[in-house]
Amino acid sequence: GSIYFLVLMACARIRPNVRQLRGDSCGNLARFIWWPTGINSVYGTLIKKELIPAISYLRTTYPLHVSLLFPTSFLQNFAVDPHLDCTNLMMTDTFFDSIYLYK
């Protein structure tokens, strides 16, 4: 779902707003999204009732593969199947971890 969250953010054109957040606010937002059931607040309710269903809808309606996000030559450097399904959170996390370790 993390790819879809980024897609949702891009479509909402909120990048300038996110860039203005303080570091601790980004951390709090990440925690809210990661564990919304632990939040008994307006934010937790919004995440559970709006954000999670929206991402679920996007995943179901618009299946993505990493080949749509990255050029084939880049994927070949990491021996990644271009048909890697972005709805597979464990596999995409492994892929993104390998990019981070590559730096």
Side-chain angles (χ1 to χ4, degrees), residues 1-9 54-60 62-65 85-88:
S2 56
I3 297 280
Y4 290 90
F5 181 67
L6 294 174
V7 168
L8 189 65
M9 288 176 58
I55 290 174
S56 178
Y57 173 80
L58 287 173
R59 288 179 65 193
T60 304
Y62 303 102
L64 294 175
H65 296 101
D85 182 2
C86 290
T87 63
N88 185 330

Side-chain angles (χ1 to χ4, degrees), residues 48-97:
K48 290 182 275 190
K49 292 189 175 185
E50 301 293 334
L51 183 62
I52 292 172
I55 290 174
S56 178
Y57 173 80
L58 287 173
R59 288 179 65 193
T60 304
T61 309
Y62 303 102
L64 294 175
H65 296 101
V66 292
S67 62
L68 294 171
L69 306 171
F70 299 98
T72 303
S73 58
F74 179 81
L75 297 173
Q76 288 172 344
N77 287 336
F78 296 96
V80 174
D81 177 2
H83 296 98
L84 174 64
D85 182 2
C86 290
T87 63
N88 185 330
L89 190 57
M90 291 181 67
M91 293 299 292
T92 54
D93 279 354
T94 300
F95 167 63
F96 286 117
D97 286 345

Side-chain angles (χ1 to χ4, degrees), residues 17-33 43:
N17 300 26
V18 173
R19 292 184 82 187
Q20 291 177 1
L21 291 174
R22 295 187 332 251
D24 59 332
S25 296
C26 289
N28 288 334
L29 177 60
R31 279 189 292 282
F32 288 159
I33 292 168
Y43 300 120

